[in-house]
Amino acid sequence: MIAEPALHYSRTHLNELELEAAVPYDYIIVEGLALPRVASSKLNLRSSKLDEVVRAFVRVCHGDKIDTARLLKACRAHNELLKIGGAALCLVAKDLECNIDKAEALLKKSPKECENLTSLLEHEKSAGIHNGNVLDDSSAAVGLLWIRRSLAFQVQLFESVVWGEEPKDAAYEAYEKQLSPYHGWMLRTVFPASFGQFSNREEFLSIFSEADDENLSIIVKKLRALVATLNPLLQSWTESFHELGLEDTRRV
């Protein structure tokens, strides 16, 4: 049995999601963690960018592994979602896209060796391009490291907003926890400066609605489903880096 602390989202949040969104959850085991299997058909998914992101991340797990191609496809879809999030998320989207490119380059070159997240990291490590946990700046590993940190920032942002916090305040808090420890002086100045362009909570949530009859409560349910899927996935992702000694903590 997987211990409850292995899950990053709270039981209260999961109960809220099940009750309000009517999303039945069961679990699949992926690289030692219990990940929620979201019944996406129950979320009334249509064809908006948010719908595509929820659907894509639900499909990332293949058997008991994190499928690299599906993961990067989901990250691409997520980046398209960020691009409609307004000027406040523009810098985040640009950074995310550059790092996806790095990971995709290795996947295209060595698809068999990079079939899942762990095998990709092991393959690149065995090539000797890193210096311990100091990762090569052009590597897929460094790209995946920063993709993970970016997603962690966004997950905390979305989770805080759906539970009632204003986007600007949520962004500052998420940045301080998820990105600031790894940013040098310049980025610690540039990134937070963009957060002043966040709109209020209602306007921010409405950005993700691409249908006239889709109200904010539906958007909130879908974002909660996305958060519930990503949180344990990010934990597994982090543990893969630590287990292989690839967690590069340098500031950039």
Side-chain angles (χ1 to χ4, degrees), residues 42-216:
K42 301 297 184 181
L43 279 170
N44 189 30
L45 296 183
R46 304 180 185 186
S47 59
S48 73
K49 289 182 173 62
L50 177 55
D51 298 335
E52 291 172 11
V53 171
V54 175
R55 192 180 289 113
F57 275 112
V58 166
R59 294 171 177 168
V60 161
C61 301
H62 181 65
D64 64 344
K65 299 292 183 182
I66 298 173
D67 186 282
T68 307
R70 292 182 185 181
L71 176 63
L72 293 177
K73 182 179 179 180
C75 291
R76 282 282 181 201
H78 189 84
N79 202 47
E80 290 303 309
L81 179 68
L82 292 185
K83 290 177 181 179
I84 68 171
L89 291 176
C90 212
L91 187 58
V92 177
K94 183 178 180 180
D95 182 65
L96 181 60
E97 187 164 22
C98 289
N99 287 305
I100 295 172
D101 288 343
K102 291 180 182 179
E104 285 183 337
L106 182 60
L107 177 62
K108 290 175 182 177
K109 182 180 179 181
S110 306
K112 184 176 180 181
E113 293 83 354
C114 301
E115 189 173 8
N116 62 70
L117 177 64
T118 299
S119 67
L120 179 152
L121 295 175
E122 289 174 338
H123 171 67
E124 198 170 54
K125 182 179 180 180
S126 68
I129 68 170
H130 307 309
N131 181 19
N133 71 331
V134 177
L135 304 183
D136 182 271
D137 287 338
S138 63
S139 66
V142 84
L144 286 161
L145 178 71
W146 283 103
I147 292 169
R148 190 196 80 209
R149 288 171 177 168
S150 179
L151 289 176
F153 162 75
Q154 295 158 47
V155 164
Q156 185 174 337
L157 167 64
F158 290 148
E159 185 168 24
S160 296
V161 170
V162 299
W163 290 102
E165 195 165 347
E166 286 298 321
K168 183 166 73 171
D169 296 333
Y172 281 122
E173 292 170 8
Y175 177 78
E176 284 301 314
K177 181 175 181 181
Q178 306 295 347
L179 293 176
S180 180
Y182 313 106
H183 280 177
W185 176 84
M186 183 176 292
L187 288 177
R188 290 202 309 272
T189 302
V190 172
F191 260 78
S194 67
F195 300 155
Q197 300 180 73
F198 273 109
S199 55
N200 63 45
R201 180 177 181 272
E202 183 173 341
E203 291 175 355
F204 177 70
L205 289 172
S206 68
I207 290 172
F208 301 110
S209 175
E210 297 178 46
D212 293 338
D213 61 341
E214 189 169 48
N215 59 43
L216 294 187

